[in-house]
Amino acid sequence: MLDAINAVDWGAIPGHPDWYEPARAERGLRALADAANLVEAAEASSLLGGGGIVHGHSAAVFPAAAVATPLLLDIAQQGHPAARDAALGMVGEALSSYPHGEYTRVATSFGTAVPICCAIAHQLRTRSAFLVGLGKRGRALLADAAKHWRFEIRECVADSNDTAAFGALVGCFPSGVHAAELHVGGEIAVLDEVALEYPPVDGSVEACLRVTGWRPAGLPPGAVLFPAECGERVH
């Protein structure tokens, strides 16, 4: 774990200049990885929560949180029980906090400008089996992550003035009509009315969304949708 923490250039990750302290991110993660009791875990959390990955006093989250999340989940899986609880607490705080100003998005394998919360939610979903095994607390984190859904378009069909978009849905698309961000080739557009036409079944991720007022040409295969409210999360 320490090698993975040290491999990150925390100073190169952008963040609010008055709040983000890269040294706290690195020191906090190292301390939490080594923590062997409640006091040490609490001291590490204080570093991470006081400018390392979030600024707890301001309820602000930094892009560093998205980079730190898989490391925190590694600590939760491999570290002391006190470190596990502290690591999960930090991930939960980062997921629920708000980015500030221009520091709201990160590059991931599924997008170049993904909202921080959606990037954290993705990392939580990759550890679903571990989190479910933790019981109520793990399931609660996964339930929070599910609100930050993601849909990758594979094929579209015109349906009157709307488009039926078929693809892979992770997370839970809420009932009703919602705005969504459309990410295509590094560009972002807002779809004002998107609804779940057919949900995934039997453990599959295959689903269909109805996009009102858009034609298939504007929704190419490989385009990715995120909740518009996640893109709007900002102090």
Side-chain angles (χ1 to χ4, degrees):
M1 285 187 289
L2 292 178
D3 287 345
I5 295 167
N6 294 337
V8 177
D9 184 354
W10 298 97
I13 301 173
H16 192 288
D18 295 327
W19 295 343
Y20 175 49
E21 299 182 50
R24 281 179 170 263
E26 183 173 2
R27 286 168 48 210
L29 286 167
R30 287 175 58 85
L32 192 56
D34 287 336
N37 55 55
L38 288 170
V39 172
E40 292 174 353
E43 290 174 346
S45 293
S46 179
L47 289 169
L48 294 170
I53 65 172
V54 299
H55 189 262
H57 181 70
S58 304
V61 63
F62 312 130
V67 180
T69 294
L71 300 170
L72 287 167
L73 292 173
D74 285 343
I75 293 170
Q77 287 187 269
Q78 303 170 35
H80 187 277
R84 177 198 62 212
D85 292 342
L88 294 177
M90 290 308 309
V91 173
E93 184 174 351
L95 183 63
S96 63
S97 296
Y98 291 80
H100 193 283
E102 63 190 278
Y103 309 103
T104 64
R105 298 174 183 271
V106 295
T108 71
S109 61
F110 47 87
T112 59
V114 176
I116 294 172
C117 55
C118 292
I120 293 172
H122 167 76
Q123 294 293 342
L124 284 165
R125 284 191 286 267
T126 66
R127 310 293 179 100
S128 293
F130 164 66
L131 292 170
V132 168
L134 294 178
K136 183 178 180 180
R137 184 172 192 182
R139 291 195 298 271
L141 274 174
L142 287 172
D144 288 340
K147 301 171 186 175
H148 305 270
W149 55 267
R150 183 176 82 249
F151 182 79
E152 182 177 348
I153 295 174
R154 294 179 179 167
E155 182 180 359
C156 287
V157 177
D159 186 1
S160 186
N161 292 324
D162 303 338
T163 290
F166 298 88
L169 174 67
V170 293
C172 297
F173 194 99
S175 60
V177 178
H178 301 271
E181 284 190 352
L182 171 69
H183 290 229
V184 183
E187 300 294 326
I188 301 174
V190 175
L191 310 177
D192 292 326
E193 297 184 20
V194 181
L196 182 62
E197 191 86 344
Y198 302 113
V201 295
D202 299 328
S204 170
V205 296
E206 300 299 322
C208 176
L209 300 182
R210 174 175 291 274
V211 183
T212 300
W214 280 67
R215 306 299 292 168
L219 304 165
V224 182
L225 275 61
F226 299 93
E229 62 183 300
C230 290
E232 296 168 354
R233 285 169 63 95
V234 64
H235 273 287

